[in-house]
Amino acid sequence: MNLRELSPEFKDLTILESGTPVFKTYLAGDWISSKELDEVVSPIDLSVFAKVPRIPYGMVDQALSRVYDSGKWEVRDLPGEKRLKIFHGMATLLDKFRDDFVEILMIGNGKTKAAANGEVNASIERLMRADLDVRKLYGEYVPGDWSSESLETEAIVRREPLGVVLAITPFNYPLFDVVNKFVYSTVAGNAIVIKPASKTPLPAIMFAKVAEMAGFPKHGIGILTVPGKDMDKIVGDQRIGVISFTGSTETGERVIKAGGVKQYVMELGGGDSALVLDDADPVSTAQKIATSVTSYSGQRCDSIKFIFSEPGIYDRLRDNLVLEFSKIKVGDPREDVNMGPIIDKGTVDELEFSVKDGLEKGAKILFGGKRIKENYVQPTLLEISKDKVKELYLYKKEVFLAIATLVKVDNVDEAISFSNSRRYGLDASVFGEDINKIRKAIRYLEVGAVYINDFPRHGIGYFPFGGRKDSGVGREGIGYTIEHVTAYKTVVYNYKGKGVWDYM
C-alpha cells in the first residue's frame, strides 16, 4: 500500500526510507524524528505504508517544559478574537488540503471516501464553531448584600485556563477527535499536547502542520508519538492540568490511576441500546438501526449493539433488519462499498469468540457472523431469548465492530431494565410514537443522551455527549467541555467603610 504524493506543504514532514515515508512529529516548536521508529499499517491490506518516530521520554520531558513554561502563556496571552481568526485560518487550510487528509483517512483507517470527507467536513465546522464555546467562558457577578457577613463587598467569578491539556485520542476519528479536543482546550486559553492513537497517528501530525501554518503559538502544541504502554509517567506529570481521553473503559481506568489528582474528560466504552416500541415504523427503524450498526464497520462508541423490541413489532422488525443487513457491501473502502476493514485482526478474533459464545448460550445467527478475510467481517445480527442475554460476552463487554443482538421483551419497562443493567451508559435510542412510553424511557434510561426515532450520532458535538457509569466522566460538546478545561476563580472586593453602600 502506497500513499499518493502529498501536497508540497507537507513534504518537509517526511523522508523516504526504502520507499516508505518516515514522518517527523511536532514538539512545541520543533519538527523532530528519533532513532526508533514505529510502523503505521493500513487496515486495507495490512501493509506498512508509513513510519513515525517513537519519542523517548527525554524529548517528551523537554517538550512539556516548553509547553508549561512558555506555551501556556503564549496561548493565554493571545487575545480571544485572534484565536478565533487562527481557528478560521486552520479551517480554510483543512479544506485546501482536503485531498491529503482524505487519503490518509482512507489508507490509514480504512474509511470510505464519503466517510473520510465527512470527517474532514466535521473538523472544519468544529473549528468554525469555536465562537460558540466562548459563551461558557463568561463569568458572573455576585453582590455581597445577600449575607450579613459579606455586606459592603462584591465578587466576580471568572473562568481561567488550567494550563496544559493532555489529549489522548482514539484510532476511529483520528482527525476530528484531535481537532475537537484542540478547539475546546485552546479556545479557553490552554496549551495542548496530543497523544494520537498509535495505529493512526498521521492526521494529528498533519494537523500540527496546519496549526503551524495558521500561526498558532508554536510552543502551545505538541504531538506525542509515544506507545500507550509508555504513557503512565506522562499522564502523571504535574505539569499537566487536564486529561481529555477517548477510548476504552479499561484504558480510561488506567489513565485515571496513573494521572492522580487532575481534571478529567473521559469518553469511554459504549455500545448503545435501541428500544423499539410496538407502534414504531419497522421499515425506517430497521434502516436506521442497520446504519448505526454498520457505519464505519461498527467501530464507533455510539454504534447500536443491542435491540430490545416489544412483541407486537418484533417479527416485522426482525425481517426488515435482516433485509437491511443483506444490502451492506463489504470490501476495499476505495471501491463502492458500505463497510471497509476492521482496524486490526485481534478485534475480528473477538467477533469470532463472541459469536461462538452466543451460539453456546442459545443465540441464533440471523445474518453474518463470519470473517471474510483476515480483518474483514460480515455485518452480524444475532437473536437471543431475554433469559439468556445477560450471560453473553457481548452484553458484558463492548465489541468494537459491526455486531448487534436482537432481543424480544414484554414491554418498555423490561427494555429499560435490560439497557440499564449493562455496565455502559453512553446513549440509547427509542423508536416509536407513544409519547408516554417515550417519556418514561427518557426518564429512566441511565445514559448521557437519548435519541428519539433516530440512531445515536455525536457529530461535531453541537449537542453535548458523554456517558454515565463505565462510559465516562464529563461531557464533550460545543460549550460544554469548557467547564472541564477551566477553573473558577473568585475575586472578592472589600469596600467596607468606604461609603460605597448605605444600607438600611
Side-chain angles (χ1 to χ4, degrees):
M1 182 67 61
N2 294 314
L3 282 174
R4 68 162 180 77
E5 189 172 346
L6 298 177
S7 296
E9 290 83 352
F10 295 109
K11 282 189 175 179
D12 62 344
L13 305 188
T14 64
I15 58 172
L16 286 179
E17 181 184 276
S18 302
T20 301
V22 178
F23 281 72
K24 300 176 184 177
T25 194
Y26 190 77
L27 289 182
D30 296 321
W31 287 100
I32 62 95
S33 189
S34 67
K35 294 179 180 179
E36 196 170 359
L37 301 174
D38 285 323
E39 297 177 337
V40 185
V41 174
S42 171
I44 295 175
D45 63 359
L46 300 178
S47 66
V48 175
F49 74 98
K51 296 180 182 180
V52 297
R54 178 179 288 199
I55 304 302
Y57 178 75
M59 284 186 178
V60 174
D61 184 49
Q62 291 175 2
L64 279 176
S65 291
R66 287 198 299 272
V67 173
Y68 183 81
D69 295 336
S70 301
K72 69 178 183 180
W73 294 109
E74 290 175 11
V75 179
R76 185 170 178 176
D77 291 342
L78 188 67
E81 57 95 15
K82 290 187 177 180
R83 276 180 240 157
L84 289 180
K85 286 180 181 177
I86 289 174
F87 295 158
H88 293 170
M90 295 169 72
T92 299
L93 288 169
L94 275 184
D95 196 29
K96 177 181 177 180
F97 301 122
R98 171 184 296 274
D99 290 346
D100 297 300
F101 283 96
V102 167
E103 172 81 358
I104 290 293
L105 291 168
M106 291 176 69
I107 301 300
N109 277 77
K111 298 202 170 193
T112 63
K113 189 170 185 178
N117 266 300
E119 185 165 349
V120 175
N121 289 338
S123 301
I124 291 170
E125 186 174 2
R126 185 65 185 93
L127 286 159
M128 295 300 295
R129 290 279 62 84
D131 55 339
L132 297 179
D133 290 276
V134 176
R135 60 188 174 175
K136 289 295 183 74
L137 288 171
Y138 300 151
E140 298 176 349
Y141 168 77
V142 184
D145 64 315
W146 293 92
S147 169
S148 59
E149 70 176 13
S150 56
L151 288 175
E152 296 190 86
T153 67
E154 61 184 355
I156 60 170
V157 182
R158 54 185 287 169
R159 281 195 174 275
E160 290 190 352
L162 282 162
V164 181
V165 176
L166 169 61
I168 305 175
T169 59
F171 79 86
N172 53 348
Y173 291 95
L175 176 61
F176 176 76
D177 275 326
V178 165
V179 171
N180 184 40
K181 293 179 189 299
F182 170 85
V183 170
Y184 64 63
S185 299
T186 61
V187 75
N190 295 291
I192 187 168
V193 287
I194 300 164
K195 189 279 187 233
S198 297
K199 292 184 175 71
T200 56
L202 301 187
I205 292 171
M206 292 167 62
F207 177 74
K209 183 63 176 178
V210 166
E212 182 185 55
M213 286 189 282
F216 189 78
K218 64 180 183 178
H219 295 137
I221 182 172
I223 309 297
L224 308 181
T225 49
V226 176
K229 63 182 178 64
D230 296 338
M231 284 295 295
D232 284 4
K233 189 173 182 179
I234 298 169
V235 301
D237 196 299
Q238 292 188 349
R239 290 169 291 189
I240 292 168
V242 186
I243 295 179
S244 176
F245 171 84
T246 302
S248 71
T249 299
E250 292 76 16
T251 305
E253 289 172 343
R254 174 180 167 183
V255 167
I256 291 173
K257 288 176 182 177
V261 180
K262 286 180 171 67
Q263 294 271 83
Y264 291 94
V265 188
M266 312 286 280
E267 191 202 342
L268 306 178
D272 294 339
S273 297
L275 284 61
V276 184
L277 309 181
D278 279 337
D279 59 355
D281 179 346
V283 176
S284 65
T285 298
Q287 289 170 344
K288 290 172 182 175
I289 290 175
T291 298
S292 177
V293 174
T294 60
S295 176
Y296 190 40
S297 305
Q299 298 173 115
R300 296 168 42 240
C301 56
D302 56 3
S303 177
I304 289 174
K305 303 297 185 189
F306 280 88
I307 308 149
F308 301 109
S309 172
E310 289 194 311
I313 196 176
Y314 185 83
D315 291 341
R316 289 173 293 156
L317 176 67
R318 179 182 57 198
D319 292 344
N320 279 282
L321 282 169
V322 172
L323 176 63
E324 294 301 324
F325 272 59
S326 71
K327 296 176 182 177
I328 302 299
K329 296 179 183 178
V330 182
D332 189 321
R334 296 167 297 178
E335 299 173 0
D336 182 23
V337 300
N338 309 102
M339 262 179 59
I342 305 302
I343 196 68
D344 58 34
K345 293 187 291 185
T347 305
V348 183
D349 294 340
E350 194 173 20
L351 169 76
E352 293 183 323
F353 173 83
S354 301
V355 171
K356 182 172 181 275
D357 171 78
L359 292 175
E360 289 173 351
K361 289 165 181 170
K364 176 183 177 183
I365 298 174
L366 297 180
F367 191 90
K370 294 182 180 178
R371 181 183 227 134
I372 297 174
K373 49 185 177 179
E374 285 183 296
N375 62 319
Y376 289 77
V377 301
Q378 296 173 320
T380 298
L381 180 64
L382 302 181
E383 178 184 44
I384 195 167
S385 62
K386 65 181 183 180
D387 60 317
K388 293 292 185 180
V389 64
K390 289 186 179 181
E391 299 176 17
L392 293 179
Y393 177 80
L394 289 164
Y395 190 84
K396 301 171 184 176
K397 181 91 163 48
E398 179 187 25
V399 177
F400 215 54
L401 41 65
I403 183 169
T405 303
L406 177 64
V407 184
K408 183 192 291 186
V409 294
D410 290 341
N411 49 47
V412 68
D413 298 288
E414 203 165 51
I416 293 168
S417 177
F418 277 118
S419 179
N420 287 347
S421 294
R422 294 191 75 219
R423 62 186 288 210
Y424 306 109
L426 188 56
D427 315 294
S429 290
V430 183
F431 293 92
E433 301 300 328
D434 187 327
I435 190 60
N436 296 312
K437 289 182 179 180
I438 291 171
R439 185 63 185 85
K440 189 173 192 179
I442 291 170
R443 183 179 185 205
Y444 286 103
L445 283 166
E446 296 170 351
V447 295
V450 181
Y451 293 75
I452 310 302
N453 289 316
D454 203 359
F455 60 88
R457 53 182 105 186
H458 296 161
I460 65 167
Y462 185 80
F463 301 118
F465 61 91
R468 291 167 61 173
K469 300 185 290 187
D470 280 3
S471 285
V473 178
R475 288 293 179 270
E476 296 211 38
I478 298 176
Y480 289 87
T481 322
I482 293 294
E483 299 172 5
H484 304 287
V485 297
T486 57
Y488 283 117
K489 178 179 281 184
T490 303
V491 183
V492 181
Y493 294 88
N494 180 6
Y495 299 101
K496 291 181 178 179
K498 304 299 182 181
V500 176
W501 284 280
D502 186 15
Y503 294 113
M504 297 180 64

